Each structure stands twice: as C-alpha cells, then as structure tokens.
C-alpha cells in the first residue's frame, strides 16, 4: 500500500530539498523506501533521511561486503561513513552523516 497523496508530496519535497543532485534512479528508490509502511509513523523529512542513508550505505558503499566478512552492523557502519558522505556531497546533500547519528 502506498502512502497517501499528501504524504507522497511531502516526501517528494523533502527528498528534493535534501538531495538536489541525486540521480533519478537513486531518488526513486529512496522515495519508495521513505513511503513504505514501516516509515509511515515518521515525519517525511526523517523518513527521507533514513531511507537515504540506508540506500547509500547498501548500494554505494562496501557495507554489505563488510557484513559478509563478519563485521557487526555498528562497525560496518563506522567504516562506511566517509564513503557515505562522499556520495551525499556529490549529490549536494544539505546534511551529512555524523558518527553519532542514530539511524534505522
């Protein structure tokens, strides 16, 4: 079930504000994740942020490889912060991931 129209608009607005230069394919995946059922209780800006970080981490970093090598989630996340922020910077994100950010 997709998000109601008003929520979809709010997610689209938050996504455009956060990631002005993200590629379309990435934006569409993030938009879908931010609108998913498990994110519906979150404000759109937070849902977009969490969906963005999860997407970048899983698609644009070695996060999955680190997990496969036996690193725990926190360690793997620590090791990919720099790469995650490189992608966010390339997309002209208005926010970067901090070491102490709570996510997912």
């Amino acid at each position: 079930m997709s998000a109601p129209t008003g929520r979809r608009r709010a997610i689209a607005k938050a996504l455009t504000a956060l990631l002005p230069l993200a590629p379309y394919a990435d934006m569409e995946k993030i938009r879908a994740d931010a609108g998913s059922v498990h994110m519906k209780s979150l404000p759109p800006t937070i849902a977009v942020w969490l969906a963005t970080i999860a997407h970048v981490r899983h698609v644009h970093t070695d996060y999955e490889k680190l997990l496969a090598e036996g690193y725990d989630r926190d360690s793997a996340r620590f090791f990919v912060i720099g790469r995650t922020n490189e992608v966010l910077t390339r997309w002209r994100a208005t926010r970067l991931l901090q070491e102490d950010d709570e996510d997912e």
Side-chain angles (χ1 to χ4, degrees), residues 10-48:
I11 286 170
K13 185 178 177 183
L15 189 53
T16 301
L18 177 65
L19 304 171
L21 295 182
Y24 180 77
D26 291 291
M27 295 264 287
E28 286 305 299
K29 177 70 172 110
I30 294 165
R31 180 188 332 270
D33 291 347
S36 68
V37 173
H38 73 279
M39 297 272 207
K40 74 179 181 179
S41 65
L42 299 172
T45 54
I46 293 174
V48 165

